[in-house]
Amino acid sequence: MTDPRPVPVPAASSAPYWEGAAQGRLLLPFCSDCARHFFYPRAWCPVCMGRNLVWREASGRGTVHTFSVVHAAPAVGFEGQVPYVIAVIDLAEGPRMMANLVNCAPEAARVGLPVRVVFEQRGEMRVPQFTPADGY
Amino acid sequence: MRNSPAIAAAFEMTPGRYPEHTTLGLYRDVLSQALREWHVRPGQLDGLLIPPADMAADRPDVLMHERFIDELGIRSVLSETMFAGGASYALMVQRAALAIADGRAEAVLCAGAGKFPKLDLDTRRSMSKIFQPQFELPYGPTIPAMYALLATRHMAEYGTTAEQFAAVAVAARRWAMRHPQALMRPRGEIDVAAVLASPMVASPFHMLDCSVPCEGGGAILVTSGEVARRICAQPAYVRGMGEFHSHGYQSQADEFGVSIGAREAGRQAFRTSGLTPGDIDVVEIYDAFSAMPLICLEDLGFCGKGKGGALVESGAILPGGELPLNTYGGLMSFGHVGDASGLSMIVEGARQVMGVAGERQVASAATALVHCYGGMQADHGTLILAREA
């Protein structure tokens, strides 16, 4: 049976992000004018609106900023995933991004948990996800 | 403010199920019942503010004020179909009050009706438009889970407990027991143990930490002080107003243990009113989930940051307490009427200040603060209502 979960549709401004993910690389947009990463990818830097954007590969390391374990009324396509963990990750590079905690018992989820990126097949795409870092 | 803008009248349908009505049918009930109850004719109105209908549907109806100024036969100087989620109505009152203060309008009707949609597959799909399509939606976000992100962070930062969130739901039910229209009144009181024993929806929220979906609607009449004094014995003057929009998508919030919007909109409302949290007698805060009033109480300045858990546990928010909160039962026990959910707390704040809250009237209620948010915490509106202009 095919995976019923939503498959992201890249936009022009995010295509490199999803191409990177397909190769197992987490690429973050970096504004050359303000010398900082941001998330999520968009056509301009949300601080200075500059368009001198480059893509930089992230370390893939981060910590859990906050999370919730979905037990009931799951999102469309996630009916078979319950219970699943929605988390906001503080990336080592600074920005925050949403992901699921995968290969992690829901009761092991906690704020501050060190995590690393993994890539999950979703249709023809691969979606960045996070899993407890080695040693945890 | 010039011309002393005030809420002159407030009306609310009994929340429940109205299978005989479409949403537009509910609107017609609200408008006709409200004007009849207030003894106001459409010709006395010069403005109509109203939200789009059926926002959760694939195609919401956005031609609302045009339809209803026509059906009511109003010739208006101020009309708009405006939407900022649960904050829509707080912002409508502000838009009306400013036009009245400016001398451009005298009597503006703000109305809303809603059906909390049945969560079938199509509705769940169309509701997912509130999530960022590439960077949230692939992770299975739900509305409870997205709000739970704030609660989890608050627990980690300040040691707040599930019992303290539950205390907000318990207090809401206690107040609902004193409101004849409250949806959950027939279910009786609940305690913290009952909240914690109800099924987990999205941690840390149990079912009884969540608002109760239903159908209904209401209306508020904002007029000049002079007109208000002809319509009612004690108007609820609009003393302070604040608005803030903190982020678009929940994952983009700058902070999670905080309601930035409550902090900023609240600060503006206190500044414009010249009042401080110590001057407020009654507080009404949009309570889609139990954690939100607790967090907003802190950010509005009713206690120090991180002290909201102790405050709600102290009993201060209960009937007879020092800081009566959601004195009508809130969305958790009065009912969450879909797109019209942001009206009920304004109706109640006004009724408390007008002294017409019946069994649940707070004796000393000379001032009320109402805080509403919507759009996954993106939109915030704060009102301070008072017996004196």
Side-chain angles (χ1 to χ4, degrees), chain B residues 16-361:
Chain B
R17 290 283 172 200
Y18 294 92
E20 71 281 15
H21 276 323
T22 61
T23 303
L24 293 183
L26 278 179
Y27 266 98
R28 294 187 181 101
D29 258 20
V30 163
L31 295 171
S32 59
Q33 288 180 43
L35 295 185
R36 196 181 317 129
E37 186 178 300
W38 301 340
H39 303 287
V40 169
R41 286 175 293 106
Q44 294 170 274
L45 304 173
D46 59 8
L48 177 68
L49 298 174
I50 198 164
D54 298 322
M55 277 305 289
D58 205 22
R59 292 184 185 185
D61 187 335
V62 296
L63 297 171
M64 289 291 284
H65 71 278
E66 293 92 337
R67 170 181 293 111
F68 284 110
I69 56 171
D70 214 78
E71 289 193 16
L72 290 167
I74 302 176
R75 295 295 175 261
S76 62
V77 293
L78 174 82
S79 281
E80 187 180 347
T81 302
M82 54 185 280
F83 192 68
S88 299
Y89 305 93
L91 301 187
M92 286 176 192
V93 171
Q94 298 189 17
R95 172 141 158 65
L98 288 172
I100 290 161
D102 204 26
R104 288 182 290 125
E106 260 213 326
V108 180
L109 179 63
C110 308
K115 291 193 158 214
F116 198 103
K118 291 214 163 50
L119 295 176
D120 57 23
L121 190 61
D122 283 348
T123 305
R124 286 161 61 217
R125 277 212 180 95
S126 87
M127 280 177 86
S128 67
K129 63 193 166 196
I130 59 171
F131 302 121
Q132 214 290 342
Q134 295 179 67
F135 303 103
E136 291 182 349
L137 203 56
Y139 301 112
T142 67
I143 292 172
M146 290 299 240
Y147 276 96
L149 297 174
L150 274 79
T152 301
R153 183 72 200 179
H154 200 275
M155 294 169 94
E157 260 182 86
Y158 304 111
T160 311
T161 63
E163 286 79 2
Q164 290 170 331
F165 294 142
V168 178
V170 169
R173 186 63 62 85
R174 286 275 294 277
W175 283 107
M177 299 307 291
R178 299 164 174 232
H179 194 313
Q181 290 178 296
L183 188 72
M184 301 306 277
R185 176 171 155 144
R187 306 283 183 96
E189 291 200 8
I190 53 174
D191 58 15
V192 167
V195 178
L196 299 185
S198 65
M200 189 67 94
V201 176
S203 68
F205 297 147
H206 306 81
M207 196 197 278
L208 290 176
D209 287 302
C210 304
S211 50
V212 198
C214 59
E215 302 171 2
I220 291 166
L221 182 61
V222 187
T223 68
S224 64
E226 195 187 322
V227 172
R229 288 186 289 273
R230 290 204 299 267
I231 292 175
C232 68
Q234 172 62 65
Y237 293 99
V238 180
R239 275 283 296 269
M241 307 191 291
E243 171 176 354
F244 198 75
H245 304 270
S246 44
H247 54 263
Y249 296 112
Q250 184 75 303
S251 64
Q252 297 296 306
D254 293 327
E255 298 173 70
F256 280 88
V258 169
S259 175
I260 297 165
R263 188 176 70 202
E264 299 304 320
R267 194 175 286 165
Q268 288 178 34
F270 281 119
R271 183 175 54 77
T272 53
S273 68
L275 300 175
T276 66
D279 298 319
I280 301 298
D281 299 319
V282 177
V283 185
E284 311 290 345
I285 299 176
Y286 195 100
D287 56 336
F289 300 97
S290 61
M292 294 314 299
L294 186 159
I295 294 173
C296 290
L297 279 172
E298 298 173 353
D299 296 315
L300 289 163
F302 289 101
C303 62
K305 193 63 201 160
K307 308 290 186 202
L311 175 65
V312 302
E313 232 172 17
S314 73
I317 62 172
L318 291 165
E322 285 164 30
L323 193 66
L325 172 75
N326 293 352
T327 50
Y328 67 110
L331 305 179
M332 288 189 289
S333 274
F334 178 79
H336 183 308
V337 293
D339 292 336
S341 57
L343 250 170
S344 58
M345 57 289 299
I346 307 174
V347 168
E348 177 67 8
R351 283 181 175 161
Q352 287 286 347
V353 166
M354 294 164 122
V356 295
E359 215 186 317
R360 63 192 187 281
Q361 179 66 47

